[in-house]
Structures are given as structure tokens and as C-alpha cells.
Amino acid sequence: MAETITTNTPAGPIVRGTFATAKQSLGDLFIWKQRVAITNDYGETHCEWQSPRRLRNPFSLFAQLGPKEWLFFLVGLAAWTADAFDFHALSIQTVKLAKYYDTSKTNVTTAITLTLLLRSVGAAFFGMAGDKFGRKYPMVVNMIILGLLQVATIYSATFTQFLAVRSLFGLFMGGVYGNAIAMALENCPLDARGLMSGILQQGYSLGYVIAASCNLGVGGSTDSWKTVFWIGTGLSIGVGFLRLLFPESRQFIEAKKLGKDQASASAFWVETRKMLAQEWRMCVYCIILMTWFNYYSHTSQDSYTTFMLTQKELDNSAASRASILMKTGACVGGTIIGYASQWFGRRRSIVCSAIMSGILIPAWILPTTERSLSATGFFMQFFVQGAWGVIPIHLNELSPPAFRSSFVGITYQIGNMISSPSAQIVNAIAERHNVKALDGELAPAYGPTMGIATAIIAIGIAVTTALGPERRGAKFELAKPAGVQEVMRRKSVDVESQGGEKAQNIEAEHIPEKQ
């Protein structure tokens, strides 16, 4: 038995099984050191307690990325930002679209539900394509079609056509997250991942800020929503063409050099089935976690502009300004907490952020002026998106290494699909109950509805995260593309069998024939 020399304290093995894992994970949450599985050169594995890596100066972490790594990261961020802009261009213009199509705000949010429902289909298709063929061309196709569907949305003459186009929109929107996140983070140095994850996830908030700024710029007229969608068209198609200008991720380039870039479809699916058989518990856990998280963001933001316009009686400009400051808080919080998670831990960062957002709920919904709503919205989203800032790297580390694009995209988007009625639920409950607005008149109860729902969700996130696993520091960048491992295994088997046949032939040659 070969020994591994280490100064770290030995730890018990990482347990298997749903309840055993939950018990161990909860206990480890309150231990500062991290339980890590170490595999030596002989294939032997043991566990030890490791102290968290020292939290380094963020500028020194930025310096670890070379020009190519920055290019991968920035284009991944741009794709995720454009995707978020496309989504929020609808949610922040619910009132305008309801007037344009002469329908209720709740009916307009049906488009949000349809988009979220169908995103998981796109995540599965483009995620598998990204894991087998590479990140580049699936993303290019995705972004260009998204831009064209924005144009189709603008020219939808009836509300039925509008809903049909937004359904298709969901199919292609679903493929962006997995490929963009995998491409951006798999090329980042290990120490920089927490910080870069926090910045990357805030492409979602940045897309909201840009969409809200555009909405503010075009004014409050009913037809002005079309201008915002034209801007979204340019962003999506622009990112698609930009992605054409630089090469594939490192793993796929290295595989191509070895002549293994064309792993057969059968090998890919064999490896996929093996992964699902081994990691189905992790798949279920991540889907549950992403369901909570998607309810978290959609419940706390999708109806917030409507809340300020109706219950708080702000005008379009004031509500847009408050929304921009709210999401600016999200960008700041996601970056800071994502950065801190490299030292503080992924799960501890998420749990603490969820608890803080729950504490802030009264301050979030009770103010009455633009200034106070902007300030409390800033801090609320600081912690909501602070928890989200850990998610890209947390999901990548929990993923089976060769399936990061599909695993991350599918679990995220299935969570999105399950949470798809969130905006409709909030709107429907709020419009059935009334509270007094500032002028004494009755208004839909958006504030209490969002507050109660967000409190329940924050508790769910804290509990689910505390009971789940963590693989901070996993070296997923060393993984070969999906299917390649199976091809290599088959070739190894062929070589061994051929070696056996040759040995048998040589042995036969030395046996004298009977006279």
C-alpha cells in the first residue's frame, strides 16, 4: 500500500446515501476545515481536513487570467447578460404589454411562464451538444436564433402570436446558461473561481439593469416596448458573431490534438448512462436546489416594478430608477459574496445570504418613497443575488466533470421550469387581495405577497443547502470531453485483447506438432 505524505489531519471517508450525506454535510457545515478526498498516483483515495485557501487580493486574482482566459470569461458573461436582458425586457414592461394587447397583467405573465417551462428542453439539447461537440458552435446558433426571435416578438400582431413566439424563445434561451457558464469558468485558475463566479452570475442582474435603463430611456408610451426588444436583438446577435471569432475551450482543443474529438455517439451515450446511474442523487439534489433558487429570484424581482407602480404609486421613471439601483445592489452583492465563498465556503455563504435576505423583508416592502425603496431594494438584492453569485461555481464543482455544460444547464433550467408559475402566482394572489395604497385607495397586495413568499423560499434555500454536499476546489478542468473516456477504455480493452491473442499465437508456435 503506497502512502501519501501530508501534514493535514486525516478525515473519515465521504459517505454515500441520501440521509448519510445530509447528516455528514450538516455536521461539516459547522467545521471550519473542509473534508477533501485525495487520490494519489496509484489510484488510492483517502480523505483529510484541509484549511480553506487564504482569501487573496482580487486584483492579484484578476492577474492570474491571461488574455485568452479573459476572452472566454467576458464572452460567457456577455452571453448570459444578453440572455437576461431578453428575459427582463418582458418582465419589466408587463404594464405596457398589457395595454398594447388589451389584456390583464396576469395574462402577460403567462409569457414568462411559457418561457421558463420550455427552457429545460433547450438546456438538454444545447447542453448535450456542448459536452459532445464543444462550447463554441452551440452557443453561436443559440444567440443568433434568440436575436431573430426578438424580431418575431416585435412583429407579433396578436397576443396569441406573442405567446407562441415567447414559447419558442424559451427553447433557445435555455441553452445559453450551461455553455456560457462552463466555458467561462473551466478556463479560470482555481483560486480565482469564487470571484469570477460571483461576477459571472451577475450577468443576470446586469441584463436587468440594462433592460431597465433602456425602458427608462424610451419612456412610458405603450409602443415603446418594441424599442427595448430591438436593442435585445442587437445584443444577442452581436454576442453570437463575437463567439465565432475565437477558438474552442481548452479541453476540446486538446482532445482534437489527440485525434479524439470525434467520440462516437454510442460512446457518448454509454458514458452518459453511467454518469446518471452513479450521480442520480446529485442530479435530484441540484434540481431541488435550483428550484428554490429560481423561485427566490423570480418571486423577489419579476413583480417588483409592478409593485412600485401600483401599490407605491411611483411613475414609470421613478420605478425604473429604483429597479436599476436594486439590481446594482445585486451586482455588488453577487461579486462580493461569490469572492468570499472561496474562503468562507460555498454552502456557508449561501446559507448566511438567504438568512440575511429573510431578515430584510419588512424593510424591503414597507417604505413608500423612491429613495427608501431604492435603498432597501439595493440591500435585499445584495443578499438574494449574493447567494446566487456562488451558484455557477458551486454547480460546476458538483457536476460530473465531463458533463458540466449539460448538468449545469439542465438542473438550472428544470428548476426554472418548476418555478415557472412564480410570477403568475404572485400576480394572481396579489390581485385577489387588496391593501391601501398611499392615496387611501385599494391596490393589489403585491408587497405582502412577495414578502411572505420570499420568506418561505429563503428558509427552504438555507435548509436545502445546509443538508447538501460541497466540493470546493474540485479540479474539473482536467476532465476529458464526454465520450472520450469511453473511447479510450474501449481502445485499452482492444489492445489488451490483441495482446492476449498475440501471446496465444506465440505460445502455439512453440508447441511441436504431433507426428
Side-chain angles (χ1 to χ4, degrees), residues 97-113:
L97 288 161
K99 291 179 180 178
Y100 183 84
Y101 287 110
D102 191 25
T103 188
S104 69
K105 294 186 289 294
T106 301
N107 285 342
V108 172
T109 57
T110 303
I112 297 176
T113 303

Side-chain angles (χ1 to χ4, degrees), residues 412-423:
Y412 172 80
Q413 298 298 359
I414 290 178
N416 241 333
M417 179 183 70
I418 297 171
S419 68
S420 60
S422 55

Side-chain angles (χ1 to χ4, degrees), residues 82-100:
D83 184 63
F85 180 100
D86 294 342
F87 178 79
H88 291 304
L90 190 154
S91 66
I92 65 173
Q93 298 187 108
T94 301
V95 175
K96 291 181 187 177
L97 288 161
K99 291 179 180 178
Y100 183 84

Side-chain angles (χ1 to χ4, degrees), residues 282-439:
M282 186 67 76
C283 295
V284 172
Y285 171 77
C286 289
I287 288 170
I288 293 171
L289 184 64
M290 288 298 94
T291 299
W292 280 122
F293 262 94
N294 280 290
Y295 268 115
Y296 196 33
S297 57
H298 291 301
T299 300
S300 65
Q301 77 185 11
D302 288 357
S303 300
Y304 197 68
T305 303
T306 307
F307 159 70
M308 291 186 288
L309 290 171
T310 55
Q311 189 175 326
K312 301 301 180 180
E313 297 182 344
L314 300 184
D315 60 26
N316 183 71
S317 296
S320 295
R321 287 193 297 267
S323 296
I324 291 168
L325 286 172
M326 175 185 74
K327 278 303 183 180
T328 302
C331 293
V332 175
T335 301
I336 291 175
I337 295 175
Y339 167 55
S341 76
Q342 194 71 27
W343 166 74
F344 192 57
R346 312 298 187 207
R347 294 187 302 137
R348 277 191 285 264
S349 298
I350 292 171
V351 170
C352 291
S353 296
I355 292 171
M356 285 301 301
S357 68
I359 293 171
L360 285 170
I361 287 173
W364 175 52
I365 62 174
L366 293 177
T368 57
T369 65
E370 177 191 344
R371 184 172 297 179
S372 56
L373 285 167
S374 299
T376 56
F378 179 97
F379 286 106
M380 181 66 177
Q381 288 299 319
F382 180 98
F383 289 105
V384 170
Q385 289 300 319
W388 262 109
V390 185
I391 286 298
I393 187 58
H394 189 43
L395 279 185
N396 265 272
E397 289 172 338
L398 293 179
S399 300
F403 293 89
R404 290 189 307 281
S405 180
S406 53
F407 184 93
V408 172
I410 292 171
T411 54
Y412 172 80
Q413 298 298 359
I414 290 178
N416 241 333
M417 179 183 70
I418 297 171
S419 68
S420 60
S422 55
Q424 276 188 298
I425 291 170
V426 169
N427 278 29
I429 295 174
E431 290 181 356
R432 288 178 185 174
H433 300 83
N434 295 313
V435 295
K436 284 188 178 181
L438 296 181
D439 60 1

